[in-house]
C-alpha cells in the first residue's frame, strides 16, 4: 500500500481532510503512515487554498496507536516519536492553521496523542479513548502527560493512564476531552460545518488568535513536554522491542474484551 493510500487526502472548499486509511490494522501508526501524515500536515500549512484541516480515520477506528507488530519487530515507528526535527512533544510540526479531530472510533495511546494534538475534537458516538502505554510497556512522547490532564484534569488523566481502561464518547464529553458527540453518520458533516465556519472568518485573525492561545500556554506546556521527553529517553535506555512482541496479543485481547462490555 502506497503512502497515498494509507493516508487519504481530500479537499472540500477551504478544508483539507486527512484520513488514516489502514482499516485492517485499525489505522495503527506505521513508519510510513507517520511520515505521510507529517508531510501532508506541512503541505496543508503552505497551501493558500486551505484554511482548516480535519483529521479522521477510516472506520472502524480513529487510530489504534503505534503499530505493535512493527514496534515489536524493529521499533522503527517508535524511533519517529521524537527527533526528526520536530519540536519536543509534538507528533507533527505545529502549523498556523487549526486542526479539528473528527474521532470516528477508538483513539488509543499514540492515537489518543494524535487526537490531543488537534486544536479541538468532535466525536462520533462510537468513539472510545484509552491510554495503554502502561499495558504495552512504553512511555508517551507526543505530549500526552501534558495535554491529557490539561483537557480532563490531573486525576482523570492519571486514572486513564494507570488503568489503561477505555472512556466512552459520552464520558469524554463530560470530562472535557471532546467538544461534541454526534451520531456516527453525522460526524464528518458536523466537523465540516464547524470547519467551514472557521474558514469563513478573517483568516489572519483566526491564525493570530490561535497563535495567541498557544503562546499563552507555553509557560506551562513547554516545561511539561520537556519532562515527558526526559522521562521517555531514560525509559528507552532499558526498552526492548521484543517485550512489546510478547505483550502484543494480550494487549489486543484485553482491549477487545473491555470494548465488548461497553
Amino acid at each position: 500500500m502506497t503512502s497515498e493510500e494509507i493516508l487519504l487526502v481530500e479537499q472540500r472548499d477551504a478544508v483539507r481532510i486527512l484520513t488514516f486509511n489502514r482499516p485492517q490494522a485499525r489505522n495503527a501508526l506505521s513508519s510510513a503512515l507517520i511520515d505521510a501524515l507529517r508531510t501532508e500536515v506541512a503541505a496543508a500549512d503552505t497551501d493558500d487554498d486551505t484554511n482548516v484541516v480535519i483529521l479522521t480515520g477510516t472506520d472502524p477506528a480513529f487510530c489504534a496507536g503505534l503499530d505493535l507488530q512493527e514496534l515489536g519487530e524493529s521499533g522503527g515507528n517508535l524511533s519517529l516519536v521524537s527527533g526528526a526535527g520536530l519540536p519536543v512533544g509534538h507528533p507533527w510540526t505545529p502549523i498556523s492553521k487549526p486542526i479539528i479531530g473528527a474521532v470516528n472510533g477508538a483513539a488509543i495511546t499514540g492515537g489518543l496523542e494524535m487526537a490531543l494534538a488537534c486544536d479541538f475534537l468532535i466525536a462520533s458516538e462510537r468513539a472510545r479513548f484509552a491510554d495503554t502505554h502502561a499495558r504495552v510497556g512504553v512511555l508517551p512522547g507526543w505530549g500526552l502527560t501534558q495535554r491529557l490532564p490539561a483537557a480532563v484534569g490531573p486525576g482523570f488523566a492519571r486514572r486513564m493512564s494507570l488503568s489503561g481502561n477505555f472512556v466512552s464518547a459520552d464520558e469524554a464529553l463530560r470530562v472535557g476531552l471532546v467538544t461534541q458527540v454526534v451520531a456516527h453518520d453525522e460526524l464528518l458533516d458536523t466537523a465540516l460545518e464547524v470547519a467551514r465556519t472557521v474558514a469563513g472568518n478573517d483568516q489572519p485573525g483566526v491564525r493570530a488568535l490561535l497563535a495567541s492561545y498557544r503562546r499563552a500556554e507555553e509557560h506551562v506546556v513547554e516545561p511539561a513536554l520537556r519532562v515527558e521527553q526526559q522521562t521517555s529517553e531514560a525509559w528507552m535506555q532499558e526498552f526492548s522491542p521484543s517485550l512489546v512482541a510478547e505483550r502484543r496479543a494480550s494487549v489486543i485481547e484485553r482491549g477487545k474484551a473491555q470494548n465488548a462490555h461497553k
Side-chain angles (χ1 to χ4, degrees):
M1 183 175 285
T2 67
S3 60
E4 292 180 353
E5 293 170 329
I6 61 177
L7 184 73
L8 304 179
V9 181
E10 181 183 359
Q11 191 77 20
R12 297 201 193 179
D13 302 321
V15 181
R16 180 76 53 90
I17 305 170
L18 304 180
T19 305
F20 296 125
N21 190 41
R22 299 185 70 215
Q24 75 289 351
R26 297 178 66 79
N27 299 324
L29 297 166
S30 62
S31 297
L33 180 52
I34 295 170
D35 280 337
L37 177 63
R38 289 173 177 172
T39 297
E40 291 300 334
V41 167
D45 198 30
T46 60
D47 181 9
D48 292 338
D49 293 326
T50 298
N51 292 334
V52 183
V53 176
I54 292 175
L55 180 62
T56 191
T58 299
D59 287 341
F62 175 75
C63 177
L66 291 181
D67 187 311
L68 294 183
Q69 182 171 350
E70 181 178 348
L71 179 58
E73 291 174 354
S74 68
N77 48 358
L78 185 61
S79 68
L80 294 178
V81 170
S82 60
L86 268 68
V88 171
H90 293 274
W92 54 75
T93 299
I95 63 174
S96 62
K97 302 170 184 180
I99 300 179
I100 301 171
V103 185
N104 58 297
I108 305 171
T109 314
L112 175 58
E113 291 190 281
M114 289 280 180
L116 288 166
C118 297
D119 291 291
F120 60 88
L121 302 176
I122 298 170
S124 155
E125 61 195 345
R126 299 181 190 173
R128 298 289 186 271
F129 304 86
D131 176 22
T132 62
H133 281 99
R135 291 187 186 180
V136 179
V138 297
L139 292 189
W142 284 333
L144 181 140
T145 57
Q146 192 284 323
R147 295 189 183 98
L148 185 59
V152 305
F156 201 88
R158 291 173 188 179
R159 176 173 173 168
M160 287 183 67
S161 292
L162 300 181
S163 70
N165 289 338
F166 280 81
V167 171
S168 70
D170 287 341
E171 191 167 19
L173 179 62
R174 179 181 65 80
V175 298
L177 182 55
V178 305
T179 62
Q180 185 179 4
V181 176
V182 299
H184 185 72
D185 292 342
E186 298 173 5
L187 176 63
L188 188 56
D189 285 344
T190 301
L192 278 165
E193 181 181 357
V194 176
R196 285 171 174 148
T197 299
V198 175
N201 290 335
D202 177 75
Q203 287 310 294
V206 166
R207 293 169 200 173
L209 186 57
L210 183 59
S212 181
Y213 267 109
R214 292 173 178 170
R215 286 198 306 273
E217 295 171 344
E218 281 180 0
H219 69 288
V220 174
V221 172
E222 292 303 321
L225 294 180
R226 294 199 177 278
V227 169
E228 180 179 277
Q229 181 193 40
Q230 292 164 4
T231 305
S232 182
E233 288 176 349
W235 178 262
M236 286 299 296
Q237 299 301 313
E238 305 295 331
F239 174 76
S240 171
S242 63
L243 295 177
V244 175
E246 294 172 8
R247 297 171 182 147
R248 178 172 175 262
S250 63
V251 169
I252 292 172
E253 288 306 313
R254 184 175 172 183
K256 287 180 179 178
Q258 189 182 359
N259 271 328
H261 290 88
K262 292 291 184 182

